[in-house]
Amino acid sequence: MNDAFSVKVNLLKALAITIVVSGHLEFSLLGMFTPYSFQIALFFFISGYLFKEKYIDEVSNYIKRRVKTLLVPYFGYNVFYLFVTIFIARVSGTFWGKTVSLKNFFITPFINSHQFDLIGPLWFVTQLFITLIAFLFLLKTLRSIKDNNLFHLAVFTIIGMSAVPISKLIVMDSIGLILVRTLFSIFFVYIGFYYRHFIEDKIDIFTPKWFGSIIIFQSILWLFNRDFTPQQGIGLSYVLVWARFDNQLIVPILTALTGIWAALFVIKIGFNYLKDIKFINLIGRNTYHIMANHLLIMFIITAIMMKINGIPFEQRAQHDIYWIYEPLQTTYLYFIITITVTTFIGEGLKQIKKFLLNFFAIHKK
């Protein structure tokens, strides 16, 4: 992986994770491209973008790599948030999660990852694992049937387009959720793979005509937008973890595609400036830890705000896990502190891991 490519991927990941965090603070970094409409699809896109063809012939090694990079740290965080949730329950009187059990510890992560509310955003990690393994086997099968990229694109498009309609037809139990999320996300993994291999260096999709067309198209899609309320529905936004698309059928796929284009466009036009900003590159290298810890940091900021203002912490339990203190005044402070702290948590954990590996390597000799 050359330096320019690595930096570009880091910048794209940094944009994706900051959109996730801003979405949980209920504001959008990209204006008319609403945060809940594409940021998770963008992460699946990036995973497909990074997928190497050699993996098709290295199935067992690929699965081992994904277990090591996705599931092992996930369950490490699962243990951590078990103790954090128990501690918070003793302080606030509310247990932010499900009953502690072997099922909720080992099975619920693959269903919705809300066994502990603070680890909820990491549902993406377990779903990504499922999606990538499914993608590997499906792409391998399709290539054995017909080694034609347009044929593969057609199959993955049909699969992706079927996700939302299927969600209307089946029961959204555990199996239904995993099925619909996988159908939806596997499409964007392939789009990332297809973009890198057949579009990126061959077709310029960032010309003025493309820009104008996307903006016009997004403004038409905006006709389907709603406020994020149960009464009005969510419109361009959707909640993939619960396979909640309200009354939409094709809009979630379309708005995810326009959002991904917008993210790629931002990185393309800003690359020469952003590539030398060390902190943004650090964000991109620590997306896993930011995803895992940002709700906890927001929770701590709220506790500090309440302490400063003399409000009993028990009142925190009267709100949902995403509640922040005085959002009109504090939203951007939450955003900056959360991104900064979680990024350096990630860097710190990497240094600890490096130290331990060196320590055991030395003593093993």
Side-chain angles (χ1 to χ4, degrees):
M1 187 181 294
N2 62 52
D3 290 342
F5 179 83
S6 179
V7 171
K8 180 168 66 174
V9 171
N10 275 338
L11 295 178
L12 196 57
K13 289 167 65 179
L15 178 59
I17 195 63
T18 52
I19 291 172
V20 168
V21 176
S22 67
H24 285 158
L25 290 167
E26 298 189 4
F27 74 93
S28 173
L29 285 177
L30 295 181
M32 67 193 301
F33 299 90
T34 56
Y36 283 96
S37 69
F38 75 94
Q39 81 271 35
I40 297 301
L42 176 58
F43 271 114
F44 286 115
F45 174 92
I46 294 170
S47 297
Y49 185 77
L50 293 172
F51 186 90
K52 298 177 181 179
E53 292 193 78
K54 69 175 185 177
Y55 295 147
I56 297 174
D57 299 316
E58 301 176 3
V59 174
S60 61
N61 287 335
Y62 182 73
I63 293 175
K64 289 177 184 177
R65 285 170 61 91
R66 295 291 76 85
V67 169
K68 182 180 179 180
T69 59
L70 295 175
L71 297 188
V72 171
Y74 178 92
F75 282 99
Y77 269 119
N78 209 22
V79 172
F80 172 72
Y81 276 105
L82 166 63
F83 290 106
V84 168
T85 304
I86 291 172
F87 172 77
I88 291 176
R90 293 191 175 186
V91 176
S92 68
T94 298
F95 189 85
W96 296 92
K98 299 181 182 296
T99 303
V100 178
S101 67
L102 290 176
K103 176 186 176 183
N104 282 332
F105 191 88
F106 290 106
I107 306 301
T108 300
F110 294 94
I111 299 171
N112 57 50
S113 198
H114 280 63
Q115 65 276 9
F116 311 117
D117 291 351
L118 287 169
I119 202 177
L122 278 188
W123 73 268
F124 165 77
V125 169
T126 47
Q127 180 58 54
L128 178 62
F129 177 80
I130 294 170
T131 300
L132 287 177
I133 303 307
F135 174 76
L136 173 65
F137 282 106
L138 180 55
L139 185 58
K140 187 178 181 71
T141 301
L142 289 175
R143 287 199 168 187
S144 67
I145 296 172
K146 187 175 183 179
D147 193 9
N148 181 284
N149 299 310
L150 291 179
F151 168 68
H152 302 161
L153 177 61
V155 172
F156 279 103
T157 300
I158 292 170
I159 290 172
M161 291 294 185
S162 72
V164 180
I166 287 176
S167 72
K168 316 293 183 184
L169 300 175
I170 66 174
V171 177
M172 281 294 101
D173 56 10
S174 301
I175 301 300
L177 282 174
I178 294 172
L179 173 63
V180 170
R181 292 199 308 249
T182 303
L183 293 174
F184 189 90
S185 57
I186 203 171
F187 167 68
F188 290 101
V189 172
Y190 186 75
I191 290 298
F193 177 82
Y194 189 86
Y195 173 77
R196 180 179 178 184
H197 291 278
F198 307 109
I199 295 179
E200 186 173 31
D201 296 324
K202 299 176 178 63
I203 303 172
D204 186 0
I205 62 171
F206 303 107
T207 64
K209 287 184 179 179
W210 267 92
F211 177 81
S213 298
I214 293 294
I215 295 301
I216 291 171
F217 186 67
Q218 185 70 6
S219 69
I220 294 172
L221 288 179
W222 201 262
L223 295 173
F224 296 90
N225 201 30
R226 301 287 186 276
D227 289 330
F228 196 85
T229 64
Q231 293 78 23
Q232 292 185 295
I234 53 180
L236 292 187
S237 298
Y238 50 85
V239 186
L240 187 58
V241 61
W242 306 114
R244 181 188 168 194
F245 305 102
D246 286 2
N247 62 344
Q248 306 296 346
L249 286 176
I250 193 173
V251 168
I253 292 287
L254 297 178
T255 192
L257 289 171
T258 58
I260 290 171
W261 182 93
L264 292 170
F265 180 74
V266 167
I267 299 305
K268 182 177 179 63
I269 63 174
F271 180 80
N272 288 332
Y273 175 74
L274 298 172
K275 67 179 183 179
D276 296 321
I277 302 179
K278 183 178 178 181
F279 182 63
I280 295 179
N281 280 279
L282 286 179
I283 293 172
R285 290 199 291 267
N286 288 283
T287 54
Y288 197 119
H289 301 291
I290 297 171
M291 187 81 80
N293 296 307
H294 69 276
L295 287 188
L296 175 61
I297 299 304
M298 291 179 188
F299 199 98
I300 293 172
I301 295 171
T302 298
I304 294 172
M305 292 282 194
M306 295 179 76
K307 179 69 175 179
I308 292 173
N309 288 276
I311 301 173
F313 185 66
E314 291 78 6
Q315 291 189 23
R316 176 67 184 83
Q318 299 175 14
H319 305 274
D320 65 34
I321 198 70
Y322 297 100
W323 182 76
I324 65 175
Y325 184 80
E326 297 291 349
L328 185 62
Q329 289 80 24
T330 64
T331 291
Y332 299 103
L333 181 62
Y334 268 80
F335 178 73
I336 296 300
I337 293 175
T338 299
I339 289 293
T340 302
V341 173
T342 53
T343 297
F344 285 108
I345 286 175
E347 285 296 298
L349 289 173
K350 288 178 182 178
Q351 292 301 316
I352 292 172
K353 179 181 177 181
K354 183 178 179 181
F355 171 80
L356 291 175
L357 289 175
N358 290 335
F359 177 83
F360 287 118
I362 292 172
H363 285 76
K364 188 176 181 180
K365 295 177 181 180

